[in-house]
Amino acid sequence: MRPDSTPSSSTSTRPPATPTTVGSTRRADDAARHPRGQRHHRPGDDCGVSNPAHPFDAAIDLQPVEPGRLRGRTRPEWANMVGPFGGITAAVLLHAVEVQPDRLGDPLAFTVNFAAPIVDGDFEVAVKPARTNRTNQHWTMELSQAGDVKTTATAVFAVRRESWADTEPAMPPVADPQTITPMGLAEGIVWPERYDMRFVEGPVPSDGQASSSSTTTMWIRDAAGRQIDYPALSALCDMFYPRVFLRRGGFLPAGTISLTSYFHVDRGQLDGVGADYVLGTAHANRFSAGYFDQSAQVWSRTGHLLATSHQVVYFKG
């Protein structure tokens, strides 16, 4: 991050108004048919833009410029206080790997570093595989505008295999989303209008009262009923406003610098979630020297842990 600028993720640099209400993984034997060095992406895989008319699909739409380089454009529907919503930037970068012809498997781990604010307009994404192993593949990405690098990322894609499985944390006990009134983040921030948000605890503070807890738990789904896929899940991992807002009781200059997400579901399990609500819960661990970290979980309504994430956030105040 440049010392004189705030990265453009789930951030605001001026106090907005008070909150407002708003409306099969590939099997291991599959991978064995593709020896190392051969192409792994199958033309029939559903990794392209599924519905260009939907604001999410329009935002992640990328056009090839040359091998390993694609061009996209920011969309006003995803505007944040400064630049686009960080979650949509993450989705763009993950999708840039998904559409590569030599992609192996599906996303497992994904780190995005928000180096500088993205301005409205065109951008380019450079993507290349750093290494391909038998069941996992490592990628690097850079998003730039006019030759200026704005965001960097790395991703690990993998072929998932059947194995022993267990989930240690438990899904928080919460009321059904239909019993909770929808609420957005704040007037003047556009991107939350793309979602149906229902806060169980820790909504955006509007009374100036500090809180002893940094935890927010909320139901969320796409407002237009788009089905969750990996790019959409990566965006949901960044759906939480900065935890320092809740602790200090109001908006402060803040922005995510680095976000890492881990995906715990295969493509078939994601298809099973469909367009239903998912439950997200997030809390901070330590606030110090102008930075804090934030841990989050994303659960399906049926209690399956879909993803976990961890991010470090810059703040003033």
Side-chain angles (χ1 to χ4, degrees), residues 4-291:
D4 60 341
S5 64
T6 300
S8 56
S9 181
S10 43
T11 165
S12 68
T13 58
R14 63 182 185 272
T18 55
T20 180
T21 298
V22 298
S24 195
T25 279
R26 295 177 180 80
R27 301 292 296 265
D29 57 349
D30 229 6
R33 300 191 187 104
H34 302 279
R36 185 181 304 177
Q38 293 187 4
R39 292 179 164 232
H40 305 287
H41 173 62
R42 296 174 294 187
D45 286 347
D46 183 19
C47 293
V49 174
S50 59
N51 179 14
H54 190 284
F56 190 91
D57 292 301
I60 68 171
D61 187 30
L62 296 168
Q63 301 302 316
V65 176
E66 59 186 36
R69 186 170 292 274
L70 307 103
R71 180 175 292 119
R73 185 173 180 81
T74 62
R75 300 286 175 167
E77 298 91 343
W78 295 95
N80 205 348
M81 296 301 292
V82 177
F85 166 47
I88 201 67
T89 301
V92 166
L93 291 165
L94 192 66
H95 185 60
V97 178
E98 279 194 320
V99 299
Q100 295 306 302
D102 52 349
R103 171 185 59 84
L104 171 67
D106 290 318
L108 181 67
F110 181 40
T111 295
V112 183
N113 301 307
F114 300 95
I118 297 171
V119 300
D120 294 341
D122 292 344
F123 57 81
E124 288 195 353
V125 177
V127 54
K128 65 178 181 180
R131 182 180 176 89
T132 298
N133 299 315
R134 187 169 64 88
T135 59
N136 57 72
Q137 190 176 44
H138 301 253
W139 292 84
T140 63
M141 300 84 84
E142 282 188 352
L143 185 152
S144 61
Q145 292 183 302
D148 187 17
V149 173
K150 301 297 184 70
T151 311
T152 66
T154 61
V156 178
F157 277 56
V159 175
R160 288 174 166 83
R161 300 169 179 251
E162 289 187 3
S163 70
W164 176 83
D166 184 47
T167 302
E168 292 197 359
M171 179 178 176
V174 295
D176 288 339
Q178 289 82 0
T179 67
I180 303 170
T181 302
M183 179 180 292
L185 294 186
E187 293 180 355
I189 304 179
V190 176
W191 71 264
E193 298 174 10
R194 310 281 76 80
Y195 294 104
D196 175 357
M197 299 179 177
R198 304 184 182 224
F199 287 88
V200 177
E201 62 177 327
V204 179
S206 59
D207 55 6
Q209 296 298 311
S211 171
S212 61
S213 171
S214 67
T215 299
T216 286
T217 302
M218 61 189 290
W219 290 106
I220 188 168
R221 67 176 175 182
D222 186 275
R226 185 188 187 276
Q227 181 165 317
I228 296 176
D229 54 15
Y230 285 112
L233 185 57
S234 70
L236 290 172
C237 286
D238 195 35
M239 64 182 164
F240 305 96
Y241 66 86
R243 303 294 83 209
V244 70
F245 293 1
L246 188 56
R247 287 297 310 273
R248 298 300 301 274
F251 286 81
L252 300 171
T256 300
I257 294 177
S258 185
L259 165 68
T260 295
S261 302
Y262 301 102
F263 305 106
H264 304 300
V265 287
D266 62 31
R267 196 173 294 274
Q269 291 166 324
L270 268 186
D271 289 344
V273 176
D276 196 10
Y277 289 98
V278 297
L279 184 74
T281 184
H283 69 274
N285 296 295
R286 170 71 175 165
F287 300 85
S288 176
Y291 300 93

